[in-house]
Amino acid sequence: MRLSADQTVVLVCEKKSQLMNMHKAFIAEFPDVTFHGITTHSMGPHTFGMKLSRKMPMSGLPAIAEPVWDVTNQPVYLGCDLQEDTDARALLRSADVIICATDTDSSGAHAFRNLTRHYLQDPDDLLHFPRLHLMSEATDEIRAAFHEGRTTADAEFTALLAAADAKKFFDSCWAANAIPIFSPLMRQAGAPQGKLWMSKYSLQLLFGLKDAGPITESEILRMMHHWKGTGKYDADPWHAQFAGAATRAAIILNLKDIGFLEEELEVESGWSKPKKLRISASGLGFLELIHPRCRDADLPFRLADWGRNWPRSRPQIETYIKTFFGRQLRYSSGQRTS
């Protein structure tokens, strides 16, 4: 990569800590070039959050919902200094070079593509930016990555985008149905108001823990990392993950917060053993309200397959959503009338 001092260079990262590591490597490799940084987080206040309809009539369920993104202005830095008066859209449109330096995963690819899609004037020129393929943020590795010649037109990057698009489409459809269908059942089971959200993996983890008995949090995390499913699919933790590594602890915490998991403390000979978790009575009560065939231990593997085959897999996702939530609607209706 060749850069000159008269160019406007923008590095797109996902978080401030990442940008600081990039800055150290950038000034070592290009001492005469000034660069701006934009952080486009996957989570947090400066993100492209998914917007959902707040009033989804039950008569319209199951529903297929396209992801719609709530665009907020992304933080801009000159080097590592925040530029509060600099507009991200204007900076990107005036930039000579925009470098993708987000994480080398589907979330990182999606974050960069969302930023360029919403802020640039030419939506057809989205797949031709230089990118850094990094397995670590060591200075020497970053410096070398500047000269590898990778771009966002690479097959690897487009595959990551496909996986992200499939997941975001599934998540949008899941949320559009789970909120109106599962929230009343969670309330009926005793979950507190304001915490009536059941994610796809929270539900499957609850089903999995139903058979496990008391178990420590570290054991649950290990179970999620080595999720086997039913055995129908070959276990591949790198491509068919049971949630991302960074979100697994949050899933457990959420189930504890809503009261579906509870702690039990064993004391033996005056020494406290690690706390174990078990499904609470309200958690078991919730599962009793869910159709047994909504248990799908193979969901992570299905999502991986859909991601590899997106967009051809879109009809399969639509069929899954309609079947899954249609089954639950009929089950809930039968319980009310019995």
Side-chain angles (χ1 to χ4, degrees), residues 191-245:
Q193 188 67 30
K195 296 185 177 180
L196 303 175
W197 165 244
M198 182 58 58
S199 73
K200 60 184 183 292
Y201 288 135
S202 295
L203 179 61
Q204 298 310 322
L205 181 60
L206 265 185
F207 273 121
L209 292 176
K210 184 179 180 181
D211 306 326
I215 184 173
T216 65
E217 183 167 333
S218 61
E219 289 172 330
I220 297 175
L221 290 171
R222 192 156 48 247
M223 180 176 75
M224 296 165 80
H225 179 71
H226 298 287
W227 192 262
K228 303 298 185 183
T230 63
K232 177 181 178 181
Y233 295 84
D234 291 333
D236 182 0
W238 295 108
H239 297 96
Q241 297 185 359
F242 189 99

Side-chain angles (χ1 to χ4, degrees), residues 39-333:
T39 52
T40 177
H41 297 236
S42 300
M43 298 184 295
H46 298 289
T47 186
F48 292 94
M50 194 180 292
K51 295 193 295 186
L52 294 169
S53 172
R54 300 237 176 224
K55 295 183 178 179
M56 181 71 70
M58 295 298 288
S59 60
L61 302 176
I64 300 301
E66 299 290 341
V68 179
W69 301 98
D70 186 13
V71 181
T72 58
N73 192 41
Q74 312 295 284
V76 175
Y77 298 84
L78 181 59
C80 288
D81 298 322
L82 181 63
Q83 307 294 297
E84 295 184 358
D85 297 328
T86 302
D87 179 72
R89 183 192 302 269
L91 174 63
L92 283 170
R93 290 184 176 183
S94 65
D96 298 301
V97 181
I98 300 172
I99 301 171
C100 175
T102 56
D103 289 346
T104 308
D105 57 20
S106 60
S107 295
H110 182 264
F112 180 82
R113 196 273 308 275
N114 239 2
L115 183 80
T116 53
R117 171 175 285 177
H118 283 91
Y119 281 177
L120 295 182
Q121 291 174 306
D122 185 2
D124 295 326
D125 191 31
L126 295 179
L127 293 176
H128 300 281
F129 299 99
R131 73 177 180 96
L132 307 183
H133 180 91
L134 300 170
M135 301 310 293
S136 80
E137 293 179 14
T139 299
D140 289 345
E141 182 169 341
I142 297 173
R143 293 182 66 177
F146 281 118
H147 304 290
E148 289 179 349
R150 295 176 187 260
T151 76
T152 55
D154 294 345
E156 180 182 44
F157 189 84
T158 54
L160 290 173
L161 274 182
D165 285 342
K167 180 181 181 299
K168 300 302 181 184
F169 177 64
F170 182 92
D171 287 348
S172 179
C173 292
W174 177 275
N177 292 277
I179 292 173
I181 293 174
F182 286 149
S183 294
L185 304 180
M186 295 175 69
R187 189 184 302 114
Q188 182 179 338
Q193 188 67 30
K195 296 185 177 180
L196 303 175
W197 165 244
M198 182 58 58
S199 73
K200 60 184 183 292
Y201 288 135
S202 295
L203 179 61
Q204 298 310 322
L205 181 60
L206 265 185
F207 273 121
L209 292 176
K210 184 179 180 181
D211 306 326
I215 184 173
T216 65
E217 183 167 333
S218 61
E219 289 172 330
I220 297 175
L221 290 171
R222 192 156 48 247
M223 180 176 75
M224 296 165 80
H225 179 71
H226 298 287
W227 192 262
K228 303 298 185 183
T230 63
K232 177 181 178 181
Y233 295 84
D234 291 333
D236 182 0
W238 295 108
H239 297 96
Q241 297 185 359
F242 189 99
T247 61
R248 291 170 189 155
I251 292 173
I252 298 172
L253 179 61
N254 179 64
L255 289 174
K256 290 165 64 176
D257 284 345
I258 62 180
F260 286 1
L261 286 183
E262 61 185 9
E263 293 181 346
E264 60 172 27
L265 179 62
E266 296 182 10
V267 179
E268 184 177 287
S269 303
W271 294 93
S272 296
K273 292 183 177 181
K275 291 181 179 180
K276 291 189 175 183
L277 297 174
R278 63 184 179 191
I279 299 183
S280 65
S282 59
L284 290 171
F286 173 71
L287 289 181
E288 288 297 318
L289 300 173
I290 304 301
H291 194 291
R293 290 180 63 192
C294 287
R295 180 174 188 170
D296 182 11
D298 288 331
L299 181 57
F301 305 97
R302 298 186 202 278
L303 283 168
D305 275 353
W306 292 331
R308 283 189 286 266
N309 293 290
W310 182 265
R312 297 189 308 277
S313 58
R314 180 187 168 106
Q316 294 172 279
I317 296 177
E318 292 184 2
T319 298
Y320 182 96
I321 290 292
K322 291 176 181 178
T323 301
F324 184 99
F325 286 104
R327 177 183 292 133
Q328 180 59 44
L329 281 171
R330 292 189 296 273
Y331 191 69
S332 295
S333 177

